[in-house]
Amino acid sequence: MILTLVFAGCNKEVIPEKAVPVTNFDVDRYLGKWYEVARFDFKFEKDLDNTTATYSLDKSGNIQVINRGYNYVTKQWKQAEGTAKFRDDQKTAALKVSFFGPFYSGYNVIALDEDYRYALVAGKNLDYLWILSRETTIPEAIKEQYLALAKQVGYDTSRLLWVKHDEEK
């Protein structure tokens, strides 16, 4: 899941009402490269496929984010760099992320398998949703589980765009 989110001014909205972030979260296990398997499309990811997010820790304990994707219209790779910070303690997967200076938006891991291979990420509201995987695909059982949870939260999962991964760089 790519983290390029629309900034949220005063941060009034940080998580959909029925969404609950993962607890007992281990940030070190979450770091590294994730493939975006599905997302709700929005302006900053328009016309992108082969999208990935790579997370690393900086010296302050913040998460550095590098989002990449291939624009299949312009035939060019696009990259954005940002910072994510925990909203509370680091054991709760409720973060805020910024790609635009002081403006932050919600990034909430609401489902995560025990091996940290698959994640369901909710944005600040029901307009932002991602399914992530350490590989370019996700097992059908995990997919169905995540879709069911997203629907319970209130997401219209028919809006999901299933991302192609067919370019290398």
Side-chain angles (χ1 to χ4, degrees), residues 38-81:
R39 70 168 182 267
F40 280 2
D41 213 13
F42 63 99
K43 176 168 101 171
F44 295 106
E45 288 190 275
K46 182 157 178 49
D47 300 329
L48 294 184
D49 57 18
N50 298 283
T51 45
T52 61
T54 304
Y55 307 113
S56 61
L57 283 182
D58 68 13
K59 293 176 185 173
S60 302
N62 296 321
I63 300 172
Q64 295 305 300
V65 183
I66 299 175
N67 291 338
R68 296 189 72 244
Y70 184 74
N71 187 309
Y72 54 83
V73 174
T74 65
K75 308 287 189 229
Q76 294 181 337
W77 287 93
K78 183 177 174 182
Q79 181 169 305
E81 296 183 23

Side-chain angles (χ1 to χ4, degrees), residues 112-142:
L112 184 62
D113 74 299
E114 65 183 27
D115 294 324
Y116 284 66
R117 293 175 302 171
Y118 314 108
L120 179 63
V121 178
K124 67 177 185 166
N125 59 35
L126 296 177
D127 291 327
Y128 302 95
L129 182 69
W130 296 267
I131 298 175
L132 306 179
S133 175
R134 295 292 188 173
E135 300 174 0
T136 58
T137 60
I138 192 167
E140 191 64 28
I142 299 289

